[in-house]
């Protein structure tokens, strides 16, 4: 049978019944071919051509009913060993069953068809079919062997002995085949005595060979069964085939339900019948269970708390149980005959018909809908429906799920609230099953890591890639401890996200226990604290670093000083550094340039120092370097290298200059405070020595920078310096004082270095705010010059050169001789040059026009004496 394609023929005049049988068979037996015939005649013709393995036959059919079809099948030698099963909802009374058995039917199936019962019957019939085919093949095989050997004996008497031996061998082979057939084989003579059997007969019944040789047919069965067996034996001799189900009495007294079939044999003029018996005890047990289950199901249907109804294919209710009546408030009389769609409360009125069509096409469905009660309330119900056939219609169980739907809606809202709160708080959850070594994550946790929730997570033991090695060690240790002791843990862990970036998470884990207080897993909550950790790290970084240069700050330096002040780090050296000219740069070029100067100094110092050295900014222009295990000579080399590299750097055209001092601690008897003080004193000595030249050089650089910003200022400063020199000469100043006046006039506008270049070079008139910026330049110039010994005396002249004789000037509103004489001279010189110079918004005044303006303002803006000397003595030589 295994090499053949299994075929099952279904004969029924109802197409729907055939379709149902086909669906059930193909669903259970994927490789079975189902043949269908709509009449008995077509069924016989199809059976003759296809020789199916099982025939499922309806009884009630026009023209040729099932009894006639079955009788004709069993009368056909070619077809009679094909098992036939009647499938019908009628004609199942005792009389018709006897009639069916007389026709040779093998089994019965009732409509509506139970799927399990159908499968069991088909499997039993296939076993019988296999046995019949094997028996038929063996019979043919035995006959052919006998014929062949007989032919050989007749052909040659010479080989008779050889043929005899061959027959013996073949006989042994036949015996082996006979014994290997499943089920027990038998041959009885006409008197009912057992004369031949296979080994299986002995093992199945428990009788020995000797005992079986004395067995007769009536010894195997009790009185009730022997009547059925005798009738089957009569069928064998009258009809050529007989079959019976009976309880075979075994040697141990137990009974075995068997299906026995036999055929007649005539040998040497004597009648025998041979056949095979199959143990169908299990099959009958299953059949009994099915019947019991069917009875149980019927009882449950009547007593279930769920509603039950049957509708036809038009959606009309044909039956309903009391549970559904109670559920809806209608009586059974009110429901019967009504349309099920009239109870549905649906947005789409056609949905009921859609459900019915779906059921007819697919057989069964589980769906939710809403039904209207008699009092107008609406129920949420769950329906489990099955399409039986066109006659029976649709069977459905319905359950009131109104409260469940409310609970689901509330649960969904609670879940949404939880998920939303987790999203807002960046809070995820996880659960670890210790037995399965598997972790389940919440969606928010997937989002934190940037993973796709549809991709399965690896086992817990393989999740180390989600953390840095240090954090994984901490986490795995904590989980192991909690899994053992039940004590919760709370940690901050550095994670590795899907894009490879690192983040931080707060994690808490607690043990999960079963009813026996045994720890079965862990539950935990995780919150993304990446931003908080960034802020904390930034705050920590800022607490130990200078915000401008990003070097360590004084706080960090003082901590490191304590840490490194040990014998292991001796000799411990320190270098104190100070940036020269920072104040001048801030005042002249602005604090941005001063900051750039400090950054460049920090870069140079850090570049020269080693990795183990501590570099810190401890004041506005002060830096310190702490050098462990560094001698005095090595320290000097490092300090000189800092100074040399600094001298090659320029910021705002100003050479970077760093003064330094150092000292070295060699024993623990020395105080680190003393070492630092020595280094500072050393630095200040260098700074005093270098300050004068640096500042003087800086003044020149500032003036050059101013002249680069504005060509007009360069020419104006030179002319004012010359005019101041001439006025001083006419006022009988000493030679040194005359030279000093020239310098003062040349640098009187040095403070304009701190004014925006756009304002200095503006072609049009200045706005009020721009004028206010311009008026700041005397004070800026004073700050620049007063910081240098060389120009400190000139600082006051520059500060007051815009003061007026009548006290209306700026910045301090000085009056008359409160204003230094030199400042009053600069005021006249500055005004004359300004009036006679070209501007983009006006032409310069002529000499006579300028004299007229100076004379007009004499005694109010200008010192009258100086104006008189300038007009009458100086202008004549200009």
């Amino acid at each position: 049978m295994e090499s053949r394609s299994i075929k099952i023929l279904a004969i029924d005049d109802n197409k729907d019944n055939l379709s149902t049988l086909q669906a059930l068979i193909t669903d259970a037996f994927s490789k079975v071919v189902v043949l269908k015939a709509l009449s008995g005649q077509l069924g016989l013709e199809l059976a003759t051509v296809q020789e199916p393995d099982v025939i499922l036959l309806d009884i009630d059919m026009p023209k040729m009913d099932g009894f006639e079809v079955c009788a004709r099948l069993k009368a056909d030698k070619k077809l009679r060993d094909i098992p036939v099963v009647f499938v019908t909802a009628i004609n199942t009374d005792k009389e018709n069953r006897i009639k069916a058995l007389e026709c040779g039917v093998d089994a019965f199936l009732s409509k509506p068809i139970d799927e399990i019962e159908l499968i069991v019957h088909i499997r039993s019939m296939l076993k019988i079919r296999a046995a019949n085919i094997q028996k038929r093949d063996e019979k043919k095989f035995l006959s052919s062997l006998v014929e062949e050997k007989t032919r050989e004996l007749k052909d040659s008497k010479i080989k008779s002995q050889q043929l005899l031996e061959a027959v013996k061998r073949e006989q042994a082979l036949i015996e082996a085949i006979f014994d290997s057939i499943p089920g027990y084989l038998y041959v009885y003579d006409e008197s009912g005595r057992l004369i031949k059997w296979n080994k299986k007969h002995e093992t199945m019944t428990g009788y020995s060979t000797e005992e079986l040789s004395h067995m007769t047919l009536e010894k195997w069965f009790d009185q009730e069964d022997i009547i059925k067996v005798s009738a089957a034996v009569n069928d064998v001799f009258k009809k050529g085939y007989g079959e019976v189900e009976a309880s075979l009495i075994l040697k141990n007294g137990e009974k075995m339900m068997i299906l026995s079939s036999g055929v007649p044999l005539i040998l040497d003029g004597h009648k025998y019948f041979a056949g095979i018996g199959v143990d169908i005890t299990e099959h009958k047990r299953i059949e009994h269970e099915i019947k019991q289950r069917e009875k149980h199901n019927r009882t449950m249907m009547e007593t279930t708390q769920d509603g039950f109804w049957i509708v036809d294919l038009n959606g009309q209710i044909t039956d309903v149980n009391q549970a559904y009546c109670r559920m809806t408030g209608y009586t059974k009389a009110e429901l019967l005959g009504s349309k099920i769609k009239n109870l549905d409360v649906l947005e789409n009125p056609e949905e009921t018909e859609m459900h019915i069509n779906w059921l007819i096409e697919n057989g069964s469905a589980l769906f939710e809908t809403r039904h209207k009660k008699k009092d107008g309330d609406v129920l949420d119900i769950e329906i489990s429906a099955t399409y039986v056939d066109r006659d029976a219609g649709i069977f459905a169980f319905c359950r009131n799920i109104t409260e469940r739907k409310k609970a689901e809606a509330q649960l969904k809202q609670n879940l949404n609230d939880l998920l939303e709160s987790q999203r807002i708080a960046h809070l995820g959850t996880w659960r670890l099953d210790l037995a399965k070594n598997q972790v389940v994550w919440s969606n928010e946790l997937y989002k934190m890591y940037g993973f796709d929730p549809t991709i399965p997570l690896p086992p817990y033991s393989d999740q180390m890639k989600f953390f840095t090695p240090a954090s994984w060690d901490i986490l795995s240790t904590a989980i192991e401890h909690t899994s053992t002791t039940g004590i919760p843990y709370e940690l901050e862990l550095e994670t590795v996200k899907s894009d490879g970036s690192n983040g931080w998470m707060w994690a808490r884990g607690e043990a999960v226990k079963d009813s026996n207080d045994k720890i079965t897993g862990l539950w935990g909550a995780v919150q993304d604290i990446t931003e908080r950790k960034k802020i904390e790290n930034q705050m920590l970084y800022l607490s130990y670093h200078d915000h401008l240069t990003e070097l360590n700050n004084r706080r960090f330096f003082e901590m490191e000083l304590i840490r490194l002040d040990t014998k292991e780090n001796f000799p411990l050296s320190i270098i104190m550094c100070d940036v020269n000219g920072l104040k001048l740069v801030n005042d002249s070029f602005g604090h941005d340039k001063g900051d750039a100067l400090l950054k460049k100094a920090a870069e140079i110092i850090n570049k020269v120092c080693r990795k183990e050295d501590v570099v810190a900014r401890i004041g506005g222009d002060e830096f310190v370097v702490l050098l462990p295990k560094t001698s005095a000579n090595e320290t000097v080399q490092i300090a000189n290298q800092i100074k040399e590299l600094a001298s090659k750097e320029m910021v705002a055209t100003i050479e970077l200059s760093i003064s330094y001092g150092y000292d070295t601690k060699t024993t623990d008897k020395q105080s680190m405070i003393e070492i630092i003080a020595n280094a500072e004193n050393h630095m200040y000595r260098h700074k005093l020595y270098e300050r004068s030249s640096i500042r003087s050089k800086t003044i020149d650089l500032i003036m050059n920078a101013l002249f680069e910003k504005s060509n007009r200022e360069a020419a104006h400063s030179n002319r004012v310096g010359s005019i101041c020199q001439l006025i001083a000469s006419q006022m009988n100043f000493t030679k040194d004082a005359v030279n000093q006046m020239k310098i003062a006039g040349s640098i009187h506008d040095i403070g304009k270095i701190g004014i925006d270049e756009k304002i200095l070079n503006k072609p049009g008139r200045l706005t009020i705010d721009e004028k206010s910026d311009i008026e700041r330049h005397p004070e800026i110039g004073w700050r620049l010059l007063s910081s240098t010994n060389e120009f400190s005396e000139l600082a006051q002249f520059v500060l007051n050169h815009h003061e007026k004789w009548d006290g209306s000037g700026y910045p301090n509103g000085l009056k008359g001789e409160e204003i230094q004489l030199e400042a009053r001279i600069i005021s006249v010189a500055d005004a004359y040059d300004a009036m006679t110079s070209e501007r983009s918004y006006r032409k310069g005044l002529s000499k006579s026009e300028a004299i007229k303006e100076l004379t007009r303002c004499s005694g109010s803006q200008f010192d009258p004496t100086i104006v008189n000397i300038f007009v009458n003595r100086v202008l004549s030589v200009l």
Side-chain angles (χ1 to χ4, degrees):
M1 285 293 289
E2 292 180 357
S3 62
R4 297 175 65 252
S5 176
I6 297 173
K7 302 174 186 177
I8 296 177
L9 172 59
I11 306 173
D12 197 317
D13 63 326
N14 188 310
K15 289 183 179 181
D16 292 337
N17 291 344
L18 291 176
S19 298
T20 300
L21 283 170
Q22 183 179 23
L24 292 173
I25 293 168
T26 55
D27 185 55
F29 305 91
S30 58
K31 297 183 179 180
V32 168
V33 176
V34 179
L35 308 171
K36 296 182 289 184
L38 283 168
S39 69
Q41 184 60 42
L42 289 175
L44 286 171
E45 293 172 1
L46 197 56
T48 302
V49 175
Q50 295 291 336
E51 288 190 60
D53 297 284
V54 179
I55 296 175
L56 304 176
L57 179 60
D58 186 30
I59 295 178
D60 187 19
M61 292 187 295
K63 295 184 179 179
M64 184 187 296
D65 62 14
F67 299 112
E68 184 177 354
V69 174
C70 184
R72 295 176 105 182
L73 286 169
K74 295 302 181 179
D76 190 329
K77 291 183 178 181
K78 182 180 178 183
L79 305 176
R80 66 187 178 189
D81 62 350
I82 298 173
V84 177
V85 179
F86 273 170
V87 183
T88 182
I90 60 171
N91 297 323
T92 55
D93 53 276
K94 184 175 180 180
E95 180 181 348
N96 283 313
R97 279 186 173 269
I98 294 172
K99 183 179 179 181
L101 290 171
E102 290 174 350
C103 293
V105 73
D106 299 86
F108 293 88
L109 272 175
S110 299
K111 294 181 182 178
I113 298 171
D114 183 277
E115 184 178 357
I116 297 176
E117 188 176 7
L118 174 65
I119 293 168
V120 171
H121 275 70
I122 289 175
R123 285 178 176 166
S124 298
M125 296 303 107
L126 288 175
K127 288 182 181 179
I128 294 171
R129 174 61 170 163
N132 289 342
I133 290 174
Q134 190 169 3
K135 180 176 67 177
R136 182 185 63 193
D137 292 343
E138 288 171 359
K139 183 178 179 180
K140 289 180 180 180
F141 178 65
L142 291 172
S143 298
S144 64
L145 283 177
V146 172
E147 289 175 3
E148 181 181 353
K149 296 307 177 184
T150 302
R151 200 165 43 248
E152 289 177 359
L153 288 170
K154 289 180 180 179
D155 289 342
S156 177
K157 291 182 179 181
I158 299 173
K159 298 180 180 180
S160 59
Q161 186 61 37
Q162 295 176 344
L163 288 174
L164 181 60
E165 292 298 325
V167 169
K168 289 180 179 179
R169 288 194 299 272
E170 293 299 335
Q171 185 65 33
L173 176 60
I174 292 170
E175 292 290 343
I177 294 172
F178 198 66
D179 290 337
S180 66
I181 292 174
Y184 63 88
L185 298 178
Y186 57 83
V187 178
Y188 285 90
D189 61 16
E190 194 172 10
S191 66
R193 186 173 62 87
L194 182 63
I195 64 170
K196 188 67 175 176
W197 58 89
N198 65 348
K199 194 67 176 177
K200 198 75 171 180
H201 208 309
E202 298 174 12
T203 58
M204 288 178 69
T205 63
Y207 287 104
S208 65
T209 302
E210 174 63 24
E211 290 169 330
L212 288 175
S213 66
H214 301 289
M215 291 295 289
T216 57
L217 198 61
E218 66 274 7
K219 293 180 180 180
W220 291 109
F221 304 99
D222 57 22
Q223 189 62 37
E224 183 179 349
D225 281 340
I226 197 62
I227 296 173
K228 295 190 293 182
V229 172
S230 298
V233 172
N234 289 333
D235 287 341
V236 169
F237 292 113
K238 290 181 180 180
K239 300 178 180 179
Y241 178 81
E243 184 177 279
V244 67
E245 286 184 9
S247 294
L248 190 74
I249 302 172
L250 306 180
K251 183 178 179 180
N252 60 10
E254 295 180 359
K255 290 185 177 181
M256 176 194 296
M257 181 62 68
I258 52 96
L259 173 66
S260 180
S261 59
V263 294
L265 286 176
I266 297 177
L267 296 174
D268 298 329
H270 297 285
K271 292 182 180 180
Y272 303 90
F273 68 92
I276 183 171
V278 179
D279 182 358
I280 61 169
T281 305
E282 181 65 16
H283 164 70
K284 300 304 285 186
R285 185 190 66 78
I286 293 173
E287 186 179 72
H288 176 73
E289 284 185 2
I290 290 172
K291 290 180 179 179
Q292 288 297 109
R293 190 178 303 166
E294 188 177 79
K295 181 180 179 182
H296 177 67
N297 289 342
R298 288 194 184 98
T299 304
M300 286 181 61
M301 190 179 301
E302 293 300 325
T303 59
T304 180
Q305 296 301 308
D306 291 338
F308 174 77
W309 39 257
I310 302 174
V311 298
D312 60 22
L313 300 190
N314 295 317
Q316 185 171 320
I317 298 175
T318 59
D319 195 6
V320 66
N321 70 351
Q322 288 300 317
Y324 186 75
C325 294
R326 291 191 299 270
M327 188 185 300
T328 60
Y330 290 101
T331 65
K332 187 171 184 179
E334 290 172 326
L335 290 171
L336 293 179
S338 64
K339 294 278 189 177
I340 194 67
K341 70 177 182 179
N342 295 334
L343 296 171
D344 277 340
V345 182
L346 302 169
E347 294 181 4
N348 179 9
E350 290 77 29
E351 192 168 337
T352 303
E353 283 78 5
M354 292 167 59
H355 285 151
I356 292 174
N357 293 333
W358 169 268
L359 283 165
I360 294 172
E361 186 174 340
N362 296 278
S364 63
L366 178 67
F367 57 92
E368 294 179 2
T369 185
R370 309 185 80 200
H371 276 190
K372 181 172 57 181
K373 294 174 64 177
K374 186 175 182 179
D375 60 9
D377 287 347
V378 175
L379 296 172
D380 287 295
I381 62 172
E382 180 182 74
I383 294 179
S384 175
T386 301
Y387 169 65
V388 181
D389 55 36
R390 288 190 172 276
D391 295 328
I394 296 170
F395 288 22
F397 284 93
C398 56
R399 178 170 295 177
N400 185 354
I401 58 170
T402 304
E403 293 304 317
R404 191 187 85 187
K405 295 296 286 186
K406 290 179 181 178
E408 287 176 355
Q410 185 61 51
L411 182 62
K412 184 177 181 182
Q413 182 61 47
N414 293 344
L415 180 60
N416 289 338
D417 292 344
L418 176 62
L419 293 176
E420 187 64 14
S421 63
Q422 287 186 352
R423 183 191 65 78
I424 294 172
H426 292 289
L427 184 69
T429 57
W430 56 268
R431 193 176 184 91
L432 169 61
D433 188 321
L434 292 173
K436 296 180 180 178
N437 188 32
Q438 192 66 46
V439 178
V440 177
W441 286 5
S442 68
N443 284 341
E444 189 61 30
L445 188 51
Y446 274 101
K447 291 179 184 177
M448 288 185 196
Y449 272 95
F451 292 140
D452 184 352
T454 63
I455 299 176
L457 289 169
Y460 155 70
S461 56
D462 295 336
Q463 292 189 6
M464 63 178 66
K465 62 184 178 181
F466 300 152
F467 301 88
T468 61
S471 287
W472 175 253
D473 289 343
I474 294 170
L475 176 61
S476 55
T477 301
I479 287 178
E480 183 177 356
H481 183 259
T482 302
S483 302
T484 305
T485 65
I487 299 173
Y489 68 81
E490 193 167 321
L491 305 168
E492 289 185 359
L493 304 168
E494 189 173 8
T495 60
V496 181
K497 299 184 179 179
S498 62
D499 59 2
S501 64
N502 284 21
W504 281 89
M505 291 186 181
W506 167 87
R508 176 177 173 83
E510 297 182 358
V512 177
K513 300 180 180 180
D514 61 14
S515 58
N516 298 319
D517 206 33
K518 178 183 177 183
I519 297 174
T520 60
L522 273 75
W523 175 93
V526 177
Q527 188 172 33
D528 189 342
I529 59 169
T530 303
E531 291 304 316
R532 193 195 83 190
K533 291 295 288 186
K534 284 181 181 178
I535 294 172
E536 287 179 358
N537 291 335
Q538 288 172 358
M539 292 177 66
L540 182 63
Y541 181 87
L542 291 174
S543 68
Y544 291 114
H545 288 79
D546 173 49
H547 72 281
L548 177 64
T549 63
E550 296 188 0
L551 293 179
N552 299 312
N553 59 14
R554 177 181 286 276
R555 180 184 180 189
F556 184 83
F557 165 72
E558 291 174 349
M559 291 173 58
E560 288 296 283
L561 188 63
I562 296 171
R563 184 180 68 85
L564 294 174
D565 189 12
T566 62
K567 291 182 180 180
E568 291 79 12
N569 292 313
F570 292 166
L572 179 61
S573 295
I574 190 166
I575 301 175
M576 303 294 294
C577 300
D578 190 283
V579 178
N580 296 314
L582 176 63
K583 188 174 186 304
L584 283 174
V585 172
N586 284 336
D587 290 340
S588 56
F589 297 101
H591 285 276
D592 287 345
K593 296 299 182 184
D595 290 347
L597 194 71
L598 289 172
K599 289 180 180 178
K600 182 58 69 175
E603 180 184 331
I604 294 299
I605 297 171
N606 204 42
K607 181 178 180 181
V608 171
C609 293
R610 302 159 301 186
K611 184 178 180 180
E612 63 272 17
D613 298 335
V614 178
V615 182
R617 181 188 177 201
I618 59 173
D621 55 2
E622 292 183 351
F623 297 85
V624 64
V625 182
L626 194 60
L627 303 103
K629 301 178 183 179
T630 307
S631 66
N633 289 335
E634 292 172 326
T635 303
V636 172
Q637 291 176 7
I638 293 171
N640 287 335
Q641 190 176 0
I642 291 172
K643 190 170 185 66
E644 181 183 352
L645 288 178
S647 65
K648 297 177 182 179
E649 297 291 338
M650 301 288 290
V651 176
T653 71
I654 298 174
E655 178 184 301
L656 176 61
S657 174
I658 299 176
S659 297
Y660 71 84
Y662 69 92
D663 198 9
T664 302
K665 181 176 181 178
T666 57
T667 68
D668 55 3
K669 294 181 180 180
Q670 293 172 287
S671 168
M672 205 63 206
I673 296 175
E674 181 183 349
I675 297 298
I676 294 173
N678 292 339
E680 284 182 334
N681 292 334
H682 189 192
M683 178 193 71
Y684 286 133
R685 287 195 296 272
H686 278 87
K687 191 171 184 68
L688 288 172
Y689 176 77
E690 296 167 345
R691 179 183 294 175
S692 179
S693 61
I694 291 296
R695 289 183 174 176
S696 297
K697 188 186 294 184
T698 302
I699 294 298
D700 292 337
L701 291 170
I702 291 171
M703 289 306 298
N704 289 334
L706 175 61
F707 296 159
E708 287 177 4
K709 288 173 71 174
S710 174
N711 293 328
R712 186 175 69 194
E713 291 295 334
H716 172 67
S717 294
N718 289 331
R719 290 194 299 268
V720 171
S722 297
I723 294 171
C724 287
Q725 183 183 22
L726 290 173
I727 294 174
S729 296
Q730 292 298 322
M731 293 182 72
N732 297 319
F733 279 29
T734 64
K735 184 177 179 179
D736 288 341
V738 170
N739 289 334
Q740 189 181 47
M741 277 308 304
K742 181 179 181 179
I743 295 172
S746 298
I747 65 173
H748 76 286
D749 276 341
I750 190 172
K752 288 184 177 179
I753 191 67
I755 307 303
D756 193 320
E757 187 175 339
K758 294 179 181 178
I759 297 176
L760 291 178
N761 296 319
K762 186 174 181 180
R765 292 184 179 276
L766 300 177
T767 65
I768 295 175
D769 290 339
E770 289 169 343
K771 284 182 179 180
S772 296
D773 280 344
I774 287 290
E775 289 176 359
R776 291 173 45 244
H777 78 275
E779 293 181 85
I780 296 172
W782 174 78
R783 288 198 301 271
L784 293 173
L785 296 172
S786 62
S787 64
T788 64
N789 293 329
E790 184 178 356
F791 297 101
S792 60
E793 189 177 353
L794 304 182
Q796 287 295 324
F797 308 158
V798 171
L799 176 64
N800 297 324
H801 78 277
H802 276 289
E803 298 286 358
K804 294 182 180 180
W805 186 258
D806 62 2
S808 62
Y810 63 87
N812 296 314
L814 300 179
K815 183 178 182 181
E817 292 187 359
E818 292 178 348
I819 307 166
Q820 291 94 338
L821 176 60
E822 293 84 355
R824 295 184 304 222
I825 292 172
I826 295 172
S827 178
V828 173
D830 183 33
Y832 176 77
D833 187 72
M835 286 188 289
T836 57
S837 298
E838 293 284 340
R839 294 289 188 269
S840 59
Y841 54 87
R842 65 164 176 81
K843 292 183 178 182
L845 301 178
S846 64
K847 183 184 289 187
S848 60
E849 288 173 332
I851 291 172
K852 184 178 179 181
E853 185 65 20
L854 284 172
T855 302
R856 185 181 70 79
C857 294
S858 177
S860 59
Q861 182 175 349
F862 308 113
D863 183 342
T865 302
I866 296 174
V867 171
N868 183 50
I869 293 172
F870 175 68
V871 171
N872 295 314
R873 297 182 191 179
V874 175
L875 282 178
S876 60
V877 297
L878 280 177

